[in-house]
Amino acid sequence: MSIKLLIACPDQKGIVYEVTKFVFENGGNIIDSQQHSLGLDSHFFMRLDIDPNDMNFTSQELSEKFSAIAKKFSMNFKFSQGAKNMAVLVSKYDHCLYDILQKHKYGDIKVNIPLIISNHPDLRHVADSFGIKYFYCPIENDKFSSKEEAKASQEAQILKELKPYNIDFIVMARYMQILSKNFISNYPNSIINVHHSFLPSFKGANPYHQAYEKGVKIIGATAHYATEDLDMGPIIAQDVAPVSYKDSVEDYISQGRDIEELVFSKAIKAHADDKIIVHENRTIVFD
Amino acid sequence: MSIKLLIACPDQKGIVYEVTKFVFENGGNIIDSQQHSLGLDSHFFMRLDIDPNDMNFTSQELSEKFSAIAKKFSMNFKFSQGAKNMAVLVSKYDHCLYDILQKHKYGDIKVNIPLIISNHPDLRHVADSFGIKYFYCPIENDKFSSKEEAKASQEAQILKELKPYNIDFIVMARYMQILSKNFISNYPNSIINVHHSFLPSFKGANPYHQAYEKGVKIIGATAHYATEDLDMGPIIAQDVAPVSYKDSVEDYISQGRDIEELVFSKAIKAHADDKIIVHENRTIVFD
Amino acid sequence: MSIKLLIACPDQKGIVYEVTKFVFENGGNIIDSQQHSLGLDSHFFMRLDIDPNDMNFTSQELSEKFSAIAKKFSMNFKFSQGAKNMAVLVSKYDHCLYDILQKHKYGDIKVNIPLIISNHPDLRHVADSFGIKYFYCPIENDKFSSKEEAKASQEAQILKELKPYNIDFIVMARYMQILSKNFISNYPNSIINVHHSFLPSFKGANPYHQAYEKGVKIIGATAHYATEDLDMGPIIAQDVAPVSYKDSVEDYISQGRDIEELVFSKAIKAHADDKIIVHENRTIVFD
Amino acid sequence: MSIKLLIACPDQKGIVYEVTKFVFENGGNIIDSQQHSLGLDSHFFMRLDIDPNDMNFTSQELSEKFSAIAKKFSMNFKFSQGAKNMAVLVSKYDHCLYDILQKHKYGDIKVNIPLIISNHPDLRHVADSFGIKYFYCPIENDKFSSKEEAKASQEAQILKELKPYNIDFIVMARYMQILSKNFISNYPNSIINVHHSFLPSFKGANPYHQAYEKGVKIIGATAHYATEDLDMGPIIAQDVAPVSYKDSVEDYISQGRDIEELVFSKAIKAHADDKIIVHENRTIVFD
């Protein structure tokens, strides 16, 4: 199983040389690399996909060995190896859930999915049919003095449930709740949401209605990292579909489901395969 | 040359029947028709493309004959026949201009283009090479006490110049001036602008820079009718292209030119062929 | 529930008039119509979507009443109303199956699905989870003296099983068998197959391998009516996706699944909604 | 102006390291690199974009210095720097010609265009308006005893005309002649043709007519390197556009022009920017 290395730092001469020397001297073979900068006064981004070959180290060990180079070039970097652990948040819509479980089963999305968490009991049968644990974690407004407290309690429970699974990232498969700043801070740039509009247009509620009112000729969907600003996090993937004057809002919703699935799974694949660097609220998504 | 009929009215039973009976009894053959409503309590939209055959009337005469039906169903309607007269506004960018002149020459855009008007002298050679009159009409800020006056004077000159040509509609081929409310009121729903963003995102100046800053993964262009609200008029056509992390703003601008050309020419074709009805700031664009 | 009327005939003056008169006089309201011909010496195609309103007849009764008009204009025509009965053929791949069952559940594909038939037992659990009957009908080569006989026997069983359900059309959700001429003749222009190439390129086996060998930059999928000539029936829907030099055949297969689902469901929707006329081995697919 | 390096060879450990060491030790800064292989038993492809910085050598000198590394890894490689010299072949259609001259002027296609060559005199005015030399070189069937001889003579003249301009590559902007094997052998993998179909479908004459007859729902265009097998050379770029039942062959031709321009300019940009490696009749096109 290959090792991925992601690097971001100010550009300088010799970075690629020193990094690839490190790989070579430690016995690895680079099977794919991409690197880009806008020149010496700009930022440098790199991704390596390394066949370990004779490179018998854990990601942790590699990180330690690499630290001198990283320091020299003021790098942010990350080694990773092996399938990540991904948790899924859902509510009642199941199309994105089915799509990623299907793609997971076919091997298109290479992760472990130890559990699916929902604020509703409805989709347990889907989790069951794919042999994945379903954790029903409702927001119990009636048991708390405020909605905020009820939600905080629910999020605390989710965090607790996630803990033993060593979750690397979380995907919101049309999870119809806004996660709190506190919750998100536990998984920085590691929670992927799908919004059913071509952001930055039509943020917030009912984007297909907004699109209809505006009279756009193309609708879209956007997968992005959740941040505390609603629908404003770094964009990972977007896709669109044409609409015609005959289409109603219901038709937009229907057509939109396909686009939501496409951008959501595309974003998940990119994250799972360590192809994303977040830099200044934008993403570098390597091919 | 075929006759086009556009109709919008509240839906009722029997509209299609009465309209097509009218065509039949006056000797025409309908070669293409499209009609749509959302049911009896909604609006009805229709377009007919009629081979006149034995229908020997002018659009004017047909309109008069049709008035009883139109009144019965409270219709907005328009008969038209023959190529429209289209004026082109340009500044210094020539890509949209070249594209539509090429498509005009190939017969893809079926209009007459009696003149091209510009606030700059630069593109006269393009007009010359296609044998079209070029009217240079600068905004002479130095001759007036305010920019507003200079512009009002220029617009008045343009309107005067257009008059003898019986212009049906105007297209802004990357014309870098904002037309005044007064100017637009002379050509309601008859001035087509192309904006280099996927509206409603990134209105106004430097949309590609805005798109870059936001980190969208797809850029777009939008052709719309100019209204007094900048970049807010009814959208006619939109298209998009993917961008990658390697692309600079200059790359966006470069790739954007192709999309601008595509949506601009698509919108012009639709307008020239009487395929557009504007209803509540949205367009019905028939196929 | 609306009534659909499809018409194909040689063009003449007055067809639209007589057809819409018929609808009006029988109490219906046309909510959508599309009609096209290339002029009086060519063929005429029309689709009407009629809100029955005061039109209290069955499709059968309407057909009888309409027969005089149909005869006058030498029409092929079909009235239909209500959801069609659709059978699904599958083998072991389940992605197209899941996709259409999902879309069916969401109401995007408006049909009845009384049964799913397979030559393998593997996907029974999928049928079960959507509450649809699963008929396992293997090709028992060991029980027959030839493969042909085994297959003929299996097809006979399928036909027998379909009979009581009054099946209107059959969809092959990656059914990995070639249907015999005899089988197809029972459902002319009513069996939809999805082939994983952009036809007519890469017919037959392993189209993604063929595409890889050829070095195309875009892969595709095609939904078409099954005819006795393999992968040569009238094309209903096609879609494509870009591939890069990094993609292996396995990546093509993975990306291809999404395109297969899109064209397959698009074709099913068009057929279910009576939007398709087959004419000279080509399809007219109304919007 | 940056230096490009393209490399193809059997994969081994240490290639990236040795190549980037070479760049570093000679004073260059790598601003973009892409490299890919399928592992140690497969082929290795790489492209470097190098800011020369302190690297004061010509491509020729770099090639010599690099030869030891190249030999060690059995590489095919090429250094290049500076704009290439591109010749254009045209006949009478001018849309691709206008498009690339426009893109050249805007700086989107970074090449020198010393001359345009045609078998017809018609497009001289286009060349003139962009200030480029036009060489009219007819096929004079009446002066020779056979068509073959007339064509061989014309091709010989073209080759002679090209010689002093040190032409790097040739683009066929809808040049309506088939180049001979002999002519092509002078510019191996350096002649770009655009064919108006989605190859491998609809090779040869009248591809839009073929597409119409077949009833495809999407038409396409393909840019590829010319080889002695007509429309069979390595594919560089492809694009498509949807068509509807209303579209005639003339509509296909009209819509096709836009796609032809898009794929043609895309292929030219890739070649001009040294982004293409041809390997086993397929192209690796770096991003």
Side-chain angles (χ1 to χ4, degrees):
Chain A
M1 175 150 279
S2 73
I3 295 167
K4 308 316 190 283
L5 171 56
L6 285 175
I7 296 170
C9 62
D11 196 10
Q12 283 189 46
K13 266 201 274 191
I15 306 178
V16 185
Y17 160 58
E18 296 232 22
V19 170
T20 59
K21 181 182 176 193
F22 174 87
V23 174
F24 176 68
E25 292 182 348
N26 284 288
N29 185 46
I30 302 170
I31 50 178
D32 186 87
S33 64
Q34 296 169 70
Q35 165 258 321
H36 191 70
S37 86
L38 298 175
L40 284 177
D41 50 354
S42 79
H43 229 69
F44 171 103
F45 303 103
M46 187 172 200
R47 178 183 184 271
L48 294 180
D49 193 342
I50 304 161
D51 175 352
N53 221 270
D54 303 318
M55 195 186 216
N56 298 311
F57 306 101
T58 64
S59 295
Q60 183 56 33
E61 289 164 340
L62 284 170
S63 296
E64 278 158 31
K65 283 171 159 287
F66 193 68
S67 59
I69 294 173
K71 196 171 173 192
K72 175 175 173 186
F73 293 107
S74 307
M75 288 176 177
N76 286 318
F77 75 98
K78 200 178 102 187
F79 282 95
S80 53
Q81 187 174 25
K84 295 186 195 308
N85 297 319
M86 176 177 107
V88 184
L89 290 175
V90 284
S91 292
K92 294 186 172 182
Y93 293 128
D94 60 5
H95 58 287
C96 282
L97 178 64
Y98 264 112
D99 188 64
I100 60 174
L101 294 181
Q102 277 278 104
K103 287 187 163 68
H104 177 245
K105 201 192 58 195
Y106 274 111
D108 300 340
I109 294 177
K110 293 178 182 64
V111 296
N112 306 311
I113 308 182
L115 85 165
I116 295 167
I117 297 173
S118 181
N119 55 331
H120 292 287
D122 307 56
L123 301 182
R124 183 180 297 278
H125 69 103
V126 181
D128 288 350
S129 74
F130 284 84
I132 298 173
K133 184 181 169 184
Y134 189 80
F135 178 58
Y136 167 43
C137 189
I139 301 173
E140 299 173 299
N141 288 320
D142 52 335
K143 294 197 183 167
F144 293 86
S145 57
S146 73
K147 288 189 172 185
E148 287 66 33
E149 277 183 51
K151 194 161 168 182
S153 167
Q154 186 238 17
E155 288 192 346
Q157 269 187 282
I158 295 178
L159 288 172
K160 194 178 153 198
E161 180 74 16
L162 292 172
K163 201 137 209 187
Y165 295 102
N166 199 17
I167 293 299
D168 293 294
F169 72 115
I170 299 170
V171 300
M172 302 167 74
R174 298 298 310 275
Y175 180 63
M176 306 304 275
Q177 295 292 324
I178 298 169
L179 295 173
S180 71
K181 181 177 170 178
N182 173 58
F183 187 98
I184 293 170
S185 68
N186 284 272
Y187 293 93
N189 290 333
S190 301
I191 301 175
I192 296 175
N193 185 34
V194 57
H195 182 73
H196 39 310
S197 86
F198 190 79
L199 290 173
S201 289
F202 315 133
K203 280 193 275 277
N206 294 323
Y208 291 130
H209 290 79
Q210 293 181 55
Y212 185 88
E213 284 307 312
K214 178 62 197 165
V216 292
K217 299 304 182 190
I218 293 177
I219 56 169
T222 303
H224 64 94
Y225 286 121
T227 59
E228 56 180 299
D229 292 321
L230 183 64
D231 298 333
M232 290 290 279
I235 294 172
I236 305 168
Q238 299 189 292
D239 205 347
V240 295
V243 287
S244 97
Y245 69 92
K246 293 190 182 184
D247 292 318
S248 62
V249 172
E250 287 65 39
D251 295 322
Y252 286 26
I253 292 170
S254 164
Q255 291 171 243
R257 277 190 279 264
D258 282 329
I259 329 173
E260 292 162 32
E261 293 175 13
L262 289 171
V263 299
F264 190 51
S265 62
K266 193 174 172 188
I268 292 172
K269 282 182 207 172
H271 187 99
D273 216 16
D274 288 293
K275 290 189 166 171
I276 310 178
I277 292 174
V278 176
H279 183 70
E280 295 176 354
N281 209 41
R282 304 167 79 246
T283 60
I284 284 79
V285 183
F286 294 101
D287 294 317
Chain B
M1 175 149 282
S2 73
I3 295 167
K4 310 306 191 293
L5 171 56
L6 285 174
I7 296 170
C9 62
D11 196 11
Q12 284 190 44
K13 265 201 276 190
I15 306 179
V16 186
Y17 160 58
E18 295 232 22
V19 170
T20 58
K21 181 183 176 191
F22 174 88
V23 173
F24 176 67
E25 291 182 349
N26 284 287
N29 185 45
I30 302 170
I31 50 178
D32 186 86
S33 65
Q34 295 170 71
Q35 165 258 320
H36 191 70
S37 86
L38 298 175
L40 284 178
D41 50 355
S42 78
H43 230 70
F44 171 103
F45 304 102
M46 187 174 200
R47 178 183 185 271
L48 294 180
D49 193 342
I50 304 161
D51 175 352
N53 221 270
D54 304 318
M55 196 187 216
N56 298 312
F57 305 100
T58 64
S59 295
Q60 183 57 32
E61 288 165 341
L62 283 170
S63 295
E64 279 159 30
K65 282 170 160 291
F66 192 68
S67 59
I69 293 172
K71 196 171 171 192
K72 176 175 173 186
F73 292 107
S74 309
M75 287 175 176
N76 285 319
F77 75 99
K78 199 178 102 186
F79 282 96
S80 53
Q81 188 175 26
K84 294 186 195 306
N85 297 320
M86 176 177 107
V88 184
L89 289 175
V90 284
S91 292
K92 294 184 171 183
Y93 293 128
D94 61 4
H95 57 288
C96 282
L97 179 64
Y98 263 112
D99 188 64
I100 60 173
L101 294 181
Q102 277 279 104
K103 286 187 164 67
H104 177 246
K105 199 191 62 194
Y106 273 110
D108 299 340
I109 294 177
K110 293 179 182 65
V111 296
N112 305 311
I113 308 182
L115 86 165
I116 295 167
I117 297 173
S118 181
N119 55 332
H120 293 286
D122 307 55
L123 301 182
R124 182 179 298 280
H125 70 104
V126 181
D128 287 353
S129 74
F130 284 85
I132 298 173
K133 183 180 170 184
Y134 190 79
F135 178 59
Y136 167 42
C137 188
I139 300 173
E140 301 174 298
N141 288 321
D142 52 336
K143 295 197 182 167
F144 292 86
S145 56
S146 73
K147 287 191 172 184
E148 286 67 33
E149 276 183 51
K151 193 159 167 183
S153 165
Q154 186 237 17
E155 287 193 347
Q157 268 188 280
I158 294 177
L159 288 172
K160 195 177 153 200
E161 180 74 14
L162 293 172
K163 201 136 209 186
Y165 295 102
N166 199 18
I167 292 300
D168 292 294
F169 73 114
I170 298 170
V171 300
M172 301 169 74
R174 299 297 312 275
Y175 181 64
M176 305 304 275
Q177 295 293 323
I178 298 170
L179 296 173
S180 71
K181 181 178 170 179
N182 173 57
F183 187 98
I184 293 170
S185 68
N186 284 272
Y187 293 93
N189 289 334
S190 301
I191 301 175
I192 296 174
N193 186 34
V194 57
H195 182 72
H196 40 310
S197 86
F198 190 79
L199 290 173
S201 288
F202 314 134
K203 281 192 276 275
N206 295 323
Y208 291 130
H209 290 78
Q210 294 181 54
Y212 185 87
E213 284 307 313
K214 178 62 198 166
V216 291
K217 299 303 181 191
I218 293 177
I219 56 170
T222 303
H224 63 94
Y225 286 121
T227 58
E228 56 180 299
D229 292 322
L230 184 64
D231 299 332
M232 290 290 279
I235 294 171
I236 305 169
Q238 300 190 291
D239 205 348
V240 296
V243 287
S244 98
Y245 69 93
K246 293 191 183 183
D247 292 317
S248 62
V249 172
E250 287 65 39
D251 295 322
Y252 286 24
I253 292 170
S254 163
Q255 292 172 242
R257 277 191 279 266
D258 281 330
I259 328 174
E260 293 163 30
E261 293 175 13
L262 290 171
V263 298
F264 191 50
S265 63
K266 193 174 171 188
I268 292 172
K269 282 181 206 173
H271 187 99
D273 217 16
D274 288 291
K275 289 187 166 173
I276 310 177
I277 293 174
V278 176
H279 183 70
E280 294 176 353
N281 209 42
R282 305 168 77 245
T283 60
I284 283 81
V285 182
F286 294 102
D287 294 317
Chain C
M1 177 151 278
S2 74
I3 295 167
K4 312 300 192 296
L5 171 57
L6 285 174
I7 296 170
C9 62
D11 197 10
Q12 284 189 45
K13 264 200 276 191
I15 306 178
V16 185
Y17 160 58
E18 295 231 24
V19 170
T20 59
K21 181 183 176 192
F22 174 87
V23 174
F24 176 67
E25 291 181 349
N26 284 288
N29 184 46
I30 303 169
I31 50 178
D32 185 87
S33 65
Q34 296 170 70
Q35 165 258 321
H36 191 71
S37 88
L38 298 175
L40 285 177
D41 50 356
S42 78
H43 230 69
F44 170 103
F45 303 103
M46 187 174 198
R47 178 184 184 271
L48 294 181
D49 193 341
I50 303 161
D51 174 352
N53 220 271
D54 304 319
M55 196 185 216
N56 299 310
F57 307 101
T58 64
S59 295
Q60 184 56 33
E61 288 164 340
L62 284 170
S63 296
E64 279 157 30
K65 283 172 159 287
F66 192 69
S67 59
I69 293 172
K71 196 170 173 191
K72 176 174 172 187
F73 293 107
S74 308
M75 287 175 177
N76 286 318
F77 75 98
K78 198 177 102 187
F79 283 95
S80 54
Q81 187 175 25
K84 294 186 195 307
N85 297 319
M86 175 176 109
V88 184
L89 290 175
V90 284
S91 292
K92 293 185 172 184
Y93 293 129
D94 61 3
H95 58 288
C96 283
L97 178 64
Y98 263 113
D99 188 64
I100 61 173
L101 294 181
Q102 276 277 104
K103 286 186 164 67
H104 177 246
K105 201 192 59 194
Y106 273 111
D108 300 339
I109 295 177
K110 293 178 181 65
V111 296
N112 306 311
I113 308 181
L115 86 166
I116 295 166
I117 297 172
S118 181
N119 55 333
H120 293 286
D122 306 56
L123 301 183
R124 182 180 297 280
H125 69 103
V126 181
D128 287 351
S129 75
F130 285 83
I132 298 173
K133 183 181 171 185
Y134 190 80
F135 177 59
Y136 167 44
C137 189
I139 302 173
E140 300 174 299
N141 289 320
D142 53 334
K143 295 197 182 165
F144 293 86
S145 56
S146 74
K147 287 191 172 185
E148 287 66 33
E149 276 183 52
K151 192 160 167 182
S153 166
Q154 186 237 18
E155 288 192 347
Q157 268 188 280
I158 295 178
L159 287 172
K160 193 177 153 201
E161 180 75 14
L162 292 172
K163 201 138 208 186
Y165 296 103
N166 199 17
I167 293 301
D168 293 293
F169 72 115
I170 298 170
V171 300
M172 302 167 74
R174 300 297 310 276
Y175 181 64
M176 306 304 275
Q177 295 293 323
I178 298 170
L179 296 173
S180 71
K181 181 178 171 178
N182 173 57
F183 187 98
I184 292 171
S185 69
N186 284 272
Y187 293 93
N189 290 333
S190 301
I191 301 175
I192 296 174
N193 186 33
V194 58
H195 183 72
H196 39 310
S197 86
F198 189 80
L199 291 173
S201 290
F202 314 133
K203 280 192 275 276
N206 295 323
Y208 292 130
H209 291 77
Q210 294 182 55
Y212 185 88
E213 283 308 312
K214 178 61 197 166
V216 291
K217 298 304 181 190
I218 293 177
I219 56 170
T222 304
H224 63 94
Y225 286 121
T227 59
E228 56 179 300
D229 292 320
L230 184 64
D231 299 332
M232 289 291 278
I235 294 172
I236 306 170
Q238 298 189 293
D239 205 348
V240 295
V243 288
S244 98
Y245 69 93
K246 294 191 182 183
D247 291 318
S248 62
V249 172
E250 287 65 40
D251 295 322
Y252 286 25
I253 292 170
S254 164
Q255 291 171 242
R257 278 190 279 265
D258 281 329
I259 329 175
E260 292 163 30
E261 293 176 13
L262 289 172
V263 300
F264 190 51
S265 63
K266 193 175 171 185
I268 293 172
K269 282 182 208 173
H271 188 98
D273 217 17
D274 288 291
K275 290 188 165 173
I276 310 178
I277 293 174
V278 176
H279 183 70
E280 294 175 354
N281 209 41
R282 303 167 77 245
T283 60
I284 283 81
V285 182
F286 294 101
D287 294 317
Chain D
M1 176 151 279
S2 73
I3 295 167
K4 312 299 191 299
L5 171 56
L6 285 175
I7 296 170
C9 61
D11 196 11
Q12 283 190 44
K13 264 201 275 191
I15 307 178
V16 185
Y17 160 59
E18 295 231 23
V19 170
T20 59
K21 181 183 177 192
F22 173 87
V23 174
F24 176 68
E25 292 182 348
N26 283 288
N29 185 45
I30 302 170
I31 49 177
D32 185 87
S33 64
Q34 296 170 71
Q35 165 257 321
H36 191 71
S37 87
L38 298 176
L40 284 177
D41 50 354
S42 79
H43 230 69
F44 171 102
F45 303 103
M46 188 174 197
R47 178 184 184 270
L48 294 180
D49 193 342
I50 304 161
D51 174 352
N53 220 272
D54 304 318
M55 196 186 216
N56 298 311
F57 305 101
T58 64
S59 295
Q60 183 56 33
E61 289 164 340
L62 283 170
S63 295
E64 280 158 31
K65 283 171 158 287
F66 193 69
S67 58
I69 294 173
K71 197 170 172 192
K72 175 174 173 188
F73 293 107
S74 308
M75 286 176 178
N76 286 318
F77 75 98
K78 200 178 102 186
F79 282 95
S80 53
Q81 187 174 26
K84 294 185 195 307
N85 297 318
M86 174 178 109
V88 184
L89 290 175
V90 283
S91 291
K92 294 185 172 184
Y93 292 128
D94 61 4
H95 58 287
C96 282
L97 178 64
Y98 262 113
D99 189 63
I100 60 174
L101 294 181
Q102 277 277 104
K103 286 187 163 68
H104 177 246
K105 201 192 59 194
Y106 272 111
D108 299 340
I109 294 177
K110 293 179 182 64
V111 296
N112 305 311
I113 308 181
L115 85 164
I116 295 166
I117 297 173
S118 181
N119 55 333
H120 294 285
D122 307 56
L123 300 183
R124 182 179 297 280
H125 70 103
V126 182
D128 288 351
S129 73
F130 284 84
I132 298 173
K133 183 180 171 184
Y134 190 80
F135 178 59
Y136 167 43
C137 188
I139 301 172
E140 300 174 299
N141 288 321
D142 52 335
K143 296 196 181 163
F144 292 87
S145 56
S146 74
K147 287 191 172 184
E148 287 66 33
E149 276 184 51
K151 193 160 166 181
S153 165
Q154 186 236 20
E155 288 192 347
Q157 267 187 281
I158 294 177
L159 287 172
K160 194 177 153 201
E161 179 75 13
L162 291 172
K163 201 139 208 186
Y165 295 103
N166 198 17
I167 292 300
D168 293 295
F169 72 115
I170 298 170
V171 299
M172 302 169 74
R174 299 297 310 276
Y175 181 63
M176 306 304 275
Q177 296 292 323
I178 297 170
L179 295 173
S180 71
K181 182 177 170 176
N182 173 57
F183 187 98
I184 292 171
S185 69
N186 284 272
Y187 293 93
N189 289 333
S190 301
I191 302 175
I192 297 174
N193 185 33
V194 57
H195 182 72
H196 40 311
S197 86
F198 189 81
L199 291 173
S201 289
F202 315 133
K203 281 192 275 275
N206 295 322
Y208 291 130
H209 290 78
Q210 294 181 54
Y212 185 87
E213 283 308 312
K214 179 60 198 166
V216 292
K217 299 304 180 190
I218 292 177
I219 56 170
T222 303
H224 63 94
Y225 286 120
T227 59
E228 56 180 298
D229 292 321
L230 183 64
D231 299 332
M232 289 290 279
I235 294 172
I236 306 169
Q238 300 190 291
D239 205 349
V240 296
V243 288
S244 98
Y245 68 94
K246 294 191 181 183
D247 292 318
S248 62
V249 172
E250 287 67 38
D251 294 322
Y252 286 25
I253 293 170
S254 164
Q255 291 171 241
R257 277 190 279 266
D258 281 329
I259 329 175
E260 293 163 29
E261 294 175 13
L262 289 171
V263 299
F264 190 50
S265 62
K266 194 175 170 184
I268 293 172
K269 282 181 208 173
H271 187 98
D273 217 16
D274 288 291
K275 291 188 165 172
I276 309 178
I277 292 174
V278 176
H279 183 70
E280 295 175 354
N281 209 41
R282 303 168 77 246
T283 60
I284 283 80
V285 182
F286 294 101
D287 295 318

